[in-house]
Amino acid sequence: MGSLALPKFTETSTRYRQLKKYMKTNRRFTRNRFLSHLRIATAGMLIIGAAIAFLAAMTTPLVRAGSAQTYIVLYKTQSVSMDAANVIAKAGGVLVANYNAIGVVIARSDNDAFRSNLMKNSAIQGVAATEKFATQLPDEGVNNSADALVTSNTPAPGSDNLSGLQWDMDQIHAPEARAINGGSSSVLVGDIDTGLDYTHPDLAANVDDAASVNCVSGSPVQGKVAANDDNGHGTHTAGTIAAALNGIGIVGVAPNVKIAGIKAGNALGFFFPEAVVCSFMWAATHHVNVTNNSYFADPWLFNCRNDAEQRAIWNAERRAISYAISKGVVVVAAEGNQADDLAHPTQDATSPDDTNPVLRTIHNDCAVVPVEVPGVIGVTANGNLQLKSFYSSYGVGSADVIAPGGDSRLQVTAAAPNGRVLSTWPAAFFCTRKVVDPSGAVYCYLQGTSMASPHAAGVAALIASRGITNPGAVAAKLQNTADPIDCPPDLSIYAPFPAVDNGAPQVCQGTLDYNSFNGHGQINALSAVTQ
């Protein structure tokens, strides 16, 4: 979710903000309610898992409601042993999901010795409990040898009722691009987020029911109903990608493509590692062409591989992301909203944000997931003056392109009077800056790299609609058609907005062709469909 410089979260619901404040002062609430939310979100979803649990109960203590934890179990090889369910049961747990293709198992146990029991198994590389490692939405080499064939793209000229408020689309030449190529209905974008409102009038026609999924528990539950958005964030990012050209509200970058809600974040905006693994494995096996990832995942904002538990989760998520890329999935991710240089991290004062953050010294052996996983396209945010947004993180090596995310401090203009990006929003949810279309459909203004990333994912979908679907080729086209932007001549404008975690001043490094603020430049939808 997009961030401001001081708070870590964007505008969402009043309940969301109240819960965040309460959780900071009540650790007991955090631990128990997160499990409660997971149980509610996944009720009735694991009939097969229940059968396995019954068999496991024959040899192990029953898992008590509210006391069990979820674990990532990482095998040394990228495959899972044939007797995985039995191994988990003997250690005192229940197998929830088996991702054999990457050597990862999701398990549940209330046995304090579960991890140590499993670590005695020579086939297992690492085990990590994930409950205490929830992460909340911040505020604001590929195997494919050839590009797959897709149906021809369809132009989508024209505009909708609220198109005049979409400064962000004008900035990346999206209206001109869709007059030539509005995307192909055979291209599928998976929005890995908090789900999406499949009833929203601007999204309903483009939602792929069969490809949508709820992955919150770590085990997939198929369908758009299961993937319904209970937060709002996912609906917002989905609209930027694929809001239909239908005379209502706004128009997305690629209004003709299909979109799947891949729900990895719960109602409070927390992403657990098991949900992230599940989401990428689902995308890899359900013909998803592009994924948008507007969140940071893993136990900590910066995940340090010199820690045994963090390393296990880092490797599990890295394997899942790499597997998806190997299956032809383009992975686009937000850079983050800490105003931090990811190439030179020194401190993490944000994590763990499901309990009480602990200040710790970090180095380059610590990485942000998914944006710093090799092969992922990293997106920084800018505003209507085409300057990097005051809150956007950046960094040589992680920043590939820049896209509109909004900037309410430095880049308020006549076209962007509040600096933020307008997109779809569930009608039942609170929004501080709400816009209601004459049809009654609801939209919301937000800002953050969460809003920038779906612009880039949308352009990636347009590129895929041209028949260029190899992830490496899509990334190259996205970068090569971007409009280069040099480092700002006056960095003093960022002086009031130092890095959130370490207080370091924001410093841009590089040249016009590539720099840490803008990557290869601002995405250009028109160039992407014509060059």
Side-chain angles (χ1 to χ4, degrees), residues 245-264:
L245 179 61
N246 55 7
I248 297 172
I250 65 164
V251 186
V253 176
N256 293 343
V257 304
K258 293 299 182 183
I259 190 160
I262 302 180
K263 183 174 175 57

Side-chain angles (χ1 to χ4, degrees), residues 1-2 172 189-193 233 236-238 240-241 253 290-295 330-337 370-371 376-382 391-392 401-406 421 447-461 478 523:
M1 204 184 282
I172 64 170
V189 179
D191 195 20
I192 302 178
D193 211 298
H233 187 266
H236 197 280
T237 56
T240 296
I241 298 166
V253 176
V290 178
T291 62
N292 178 66
N293 300 269
S294 292
Y295 58 91
V330 177
V331 181
V332 181
E335 194 81 0
N337 305 302
V371 71
V376 173
I377 299 169
V379 187
T380 57
N382 66 8
Y391 54 77
S392 180
V401 291
I402 196 166
V421 173
Q447 68 176 359
T449 56
S450 280
M451 286 65 251
S453 181
H455 286 86
V459 174
L478 187 69
I523 58 170

Side-chain angles (χ1 to χ4, degrees), residues 323-477:
Y323 182 74
I325 294 173
S326 78
K327 294 300 181 182
V329 180
V330 177
V331 181
V332 181
E335 194 81 0
N337 305 302
Q338 306 298 104
D340 205 352
D341 183 351
L342 300 189
H344 302 95
T346 59
Q347 282 187 173
D348 180 3
T350 297
S351 322
D353 65 0
D354 62 333
T355 53
N356 294 312
V358 177
L359 180 64
R360 59 181 182 145
T361 300
I362 58 173
H363 305 288
N364 277 327
D365 58 352
C366 302
V368 177
V369 177
V371 71
E372 292 195 278
V373 172
V376 173
I377 299 169
V379 187
T380 57
N382 66 8
N384 193 218
L385 298 179
Q386 300 186 47
L387 297 168
K388 186 189 77 66
S389 302
F390 69 92
Y391 54 77
S392 180
S393 293
Y394 57 95
V396 171
S398 63
D400 291 297
V401 291
I402 196 166
D407 186 333
S408 62
R409 301 292 183 88
L410 300 176
Q411 300 178 72
V412 172
T413 66
N418 63 36
R420 295 170 171 83
V421 173
L422 185 68
S423 191
T424 46
W425 193 253
F429 291 3
F430 175 82
C431 170
T432 301
R433 296 169 181 83
K434 180 169 70 173
V435 177
V436 180
D437 180 79
S439 68
V442 175
Y443 302 81
C444 186
Y445 278 107
L446 296 177
Q447 68 176 359
T449 56
S450 280
M451 286 65 251
S453 181
H455 286 86
V459 174
L462 293 180
I463 294 170
S465 297
R466 299 180 60 184
I468 305 170
T469 56
N470 178 285
V474 172
K477 178 65 71 174

